[in-house]
Amino acid sequence: MPRPFEQLTAWIDSQQERLLGLVGDWAGISSHSLDPAGLGRMRARLIEDFAPLGRLAGKAAGRRLVVDASGNEVSEPVGEMLSLRHEAATGPGVLLAIHYDTVYPADAEPRQVSLSDDGRLLRGPGVTDAKGGLAVMLIALEAFQRFGQTDRLSWEVLLNADEELGSPGSAEALAAAAGRNDLGLLFEPALDESGSLAGARKGSANLAVVIRGRAAHAGRHFADGRNAVVAAAELATAVDRLNAETGDATFNVAAIDGGAAVNVIPDLAILRLNIRVGTAATADWAIDQVRELVAETNRRDGIRAAVHGGFHCPPRPVDPPMQRLLDQVTRCGEQLGLTITSRPTGGVCDGNKLAAAGLPTVDTLGVRGGGIHSPNEYLIVESLAERAKLTACLLAGLADGSLNWPVDGRRSR
């Protein structure tokens, strides 16, 4: 290993306690996607902790459209983004991105963060998804700024607060950042405890079908009513049957909202669906199938249905540029004595959006762990320094040319 890499990795090893402390402190701060106060506290702490790299600048995000309990589409604000850029005279530009929101509400229990298994694991809300990834990014960048050829690599940090909602408010900023850079590094957790990277990712659509019927007294005027909940249930089973028609797409009936008093025929129901697909062609087919079923529902007497939403994450295949980037990460791993593999996944993240905007991206450079989105979330402590070294070595190799990456002259900085 060249001397700069030795200095870089040795310094990261010396930061193990700091890495652990950062994640523990951050996980103790509620940053649920819809908790403005908690997100504000998390932003303030990130600005403080990222100060060695420069000042993170706040940036307003867009808004998200949701279908409320009344079946109306409404606009809601999402949390503010944070960004920081370093401009170099030559070399490629790298986007480093991850979210700082979590799925855990402010009143979720337990909120404790604790070590277990003789210090091998750190347990707590968001430690792996993705506050561990935030720490990996920070320390890797600090190491590169200390020991790397900083005049030969531009980098940009983008932290968003709505990824767990599908990044509706930050999607535009992510696409713009993709246009300013040549490759992307995203710090979602590794796919498993062994540290596997995500290869191909499926695409994801969230749909809300609003079904309106006719209310009536369930005893006196039953025949006058048109039951929206029954129509939603029948539509739900029809959608579920689509799972038998293709091996590529999956249709998840997530919820049916509607009805109240048992003596009233319900005139409103909302069917909420998630679709996952492997290709753009299958995405078109899946949406068409749902729309045809909704059209059949609309042919029922007294029932009206409308579809809201669509694909917020397009499928991400492993194309040649992405395979090249995966190979570069594998080479860095070999220098560190790590075996880095990749495999396809049905999960989605902002890496789907960056790839769709034309940016080759490796999006699982965060920590190893498990139990994400559950009370049992945990982080493998040794993976903090491990993944920080992997990222820092990648940045250093891109800067010194040992990991060659073409600079796209069309990208504006």
Side-chain angles (χ1 to χ4, degrees), residues 257-400:
D257 305 322
V262 296
N263 60 348
V264 176
I265 294 172
D267 63 351
L268 172 66
I270 304 168
L271 175 63
R272 301 186 189 272
L273 310 170
N274 176 259
I275 306 173
R276 302 287 169 123
V277 299
T279 66
T282 308
D284 293 339
W285 173 86
I287 292 293
D288 286 345
Q289 293 299 302
V290 172
R291 292 193 181 280
E292 286 181 16
L293 293 174
V294 170
E296 291 179 14
T297 301
N298 271 320
R299 286 192 282 271
R300 298 178 55 160
D301 176 52
I303 297 292
R304 292 293 175 266
V307 181
H308 301 261
F311 274 89
H312 63 94
C313 278
R316 189 196 69 179
V318 177
D319 58 11
M322 182 179 172
Q323 185 60 58
R324 179 176 183 173
L325 184 52
L326 287 169
D327 292 343
Q328 302 281 42
V329 177
T330 299
R331 286 182 57 192
C332 286
E334 290 170 352
Q335 292 186 64
L336 297 166
L338 303 172
T339 300
I340 305 295
T341 62
S342 63
R343 59 180 174 86
T345 176
V348 300
C349 71
D350 287 335
N352 294 67
K353 293 180 171 62
L354 294 173
L359 188 70
T361 302
V362 172
D363 56 29
T364 37
L365 286 169
V367 294
R368 296 185 285 123
I372 62 173
H373 294 197
S374 84
N376 301 314
E377 185 166 347
Y378 65 91
L379 173 159
I380 298 174
V381 171
E382 68 178 6
S383 70
L384 284 162
E386 171 193 298
R387 303 296 265 204
K389 287 187 285 188
L390 180 64
T391 300
C393 285
L394 182 61
L395 295 173
L398 290 166
D400 68 19

Side-chain angles (χ1 to χ4, degrees), residues 21 74-75 102 119-120 143 148 154 168 190 205 224 233 239-240 265 275 386 396:
V74 297
S75 172
T102 69
R120 190 179 79 89
S154 297
D224 294 338
V239 169
D240 184 65
I265 294 172
I275 306 173
E386 171 193 298

Side-chain angles (χ1 to χ4, degrees), residues 1-364:
M1 184 180 292
R3 178 169 173 75
F5 279 16
E6 291 180 350
Q7 294 175 314
L8 180 150
T9 57
W11 183 82
I12 290 175
D13 283 333
S14 75
Q15 300 299 301
Q16 177 65 33
E17 289 303 314
R18 181 177 165 215
L19 278 160
L20 194 59
L22 285 170
V23 179
D25 289 351
W26 292 343
I29 301 172
S30 165
S31 57
H32 183 264
S33 310
L34 300 178
D35 177 9
L39 290 172
R41 289 190 292 271
M42 188 66 193
R43 281 195 300 275
R45 180 61 193 264
L46 288 171
I47 291 170
E48 175 185 338
D49 290 328
F50 273 71
L53 298 174
R55 179 169 177 81
L56 286 169
K59 181 179 181 181
R63 300 171 71 87
R64 70 166 185 155
L65 293 175
V66 297
V67 174
D68 66 14
S70 299
N72 299 314
E73 197 170 64
V74 297
S75 172
E76 294 181 346
V78 299
E80 189 176 76
M81 296 175 288
L82 293 168
S83 65
L84 175 64
R85 293 173 69 182
H86 164 78
E87 296 287 347
T90 62
V94 181
L95 173 65
L96 300 96
I98 192 56
H99 60 98
Y100 66 92
D101 62 322
T102 69
V103 299
Y104 302 97
D107 58 354
E109 293 295 339
R111 282 222 65 84
Q112 294 126 317
V113 182
S114 61
L115 287 168
S116 68
D117 292 48
D118 296 323
R120 190 179 79 89
L121 304 179
L122 181 70
R123 298 183 180 275
V127 293
T128 299
D129 186 18
K131 291 177 179 179
L134 276 165
V136 166
M137 173 201 289
L138 171 59
I139 297 302
L141 272 174
E142 281 195 47
F144 173 71
Q145 290 298 101
R146 286 170 175 263
F147 304 106
Q149 297 185 32
T150 58
D151 61 336
R152 297 184 58 185
L153 187 75
S154 297
W155 53 261
E156 177 176 359
V157 168
L158 183 62
L159 311 179
N160 59 341
D162 62 340
E163 193 276 341
E164 298 294 3
L165 305 174
S167 302
S170 55
E172 186 176 334
L174 287 164
R180 291 191 293 267
N181 292 282
D182 299 294
L183 67 150
L185 307 179
L186 201 63
F187 294 84
E188 292 288 348
L191 294 184
D192 49 42
E193 286 197 359
S194 71
S196 298
L197 302 175
R201 283 188 180 274
K202 283 192 171 186
S204 177
N206 292 329
L207 304 178
V209 184
V210 178
I211 301 169
R212 299 187 185 276
R214 185 186 304 149
H217 192 287
R220 292 189 178 191
H221 305 293
F222 182 83
D224 294 338
R226 297 295 182 269
N227 195 309
V229 170
V230 170
E234 292 177 351
L235 176 59
T237 57
V239 169
D240 184 65
R241 284 195 292 270
L242 293 173
N243 287 304
E245 297 188 20
T246 175
D248 182 38
T250 57
F251 298 81
N252 181 49
V253 177
I256 298 178
D257 305 322
V262 296
N263 60 348
V264 176
I265 294 172
D267 63 351
L268 172 66
I270 304 168
L271 175 63
R272 301 186 189 272
L273 310 170
N274 176 259
I275 306 173
R276 302 287 169 123
V277 299
T279 66
T282 308
D284 293 339
W285 173 86
I287 292 293
D288 286 345
Q289 293 299 302
V290 172
R291 292 193 181 280
E292 286 181 16
L293 293 174
V294 170
E296 291 179 14
T297 301
N298 271 320
R299 286 192 282 271
R300 298 178 55 160
D301 176 52
I303 297 292
R304 292 293 175 266
V307 181
H308 301 261
F311 274 89
H312 63 94
C313 278
R316 189 196 69 179
V318 177
D319 58 11
M322 182 179 172
Q323 185 60 58
R324 179 176 183 173
L325 184 52
L326 287 169
D327 292 343
Q328 302 281 42
V329 177
T330 299
R331 286 182 57 192
C332 286
E334 290 170 352
Q335 292 186 64
L336 297 166
L338 303 172
T339 300
I340 305 295
T341 62
S342 63
R343 59 180 174 86
T345 176
V348 300
C349 71
D350 287 335
N352 294 67
K353 293 180 171 62
L354 294 173
L359 188 70
T361 302
V362 172
D363 56 29
T364 37

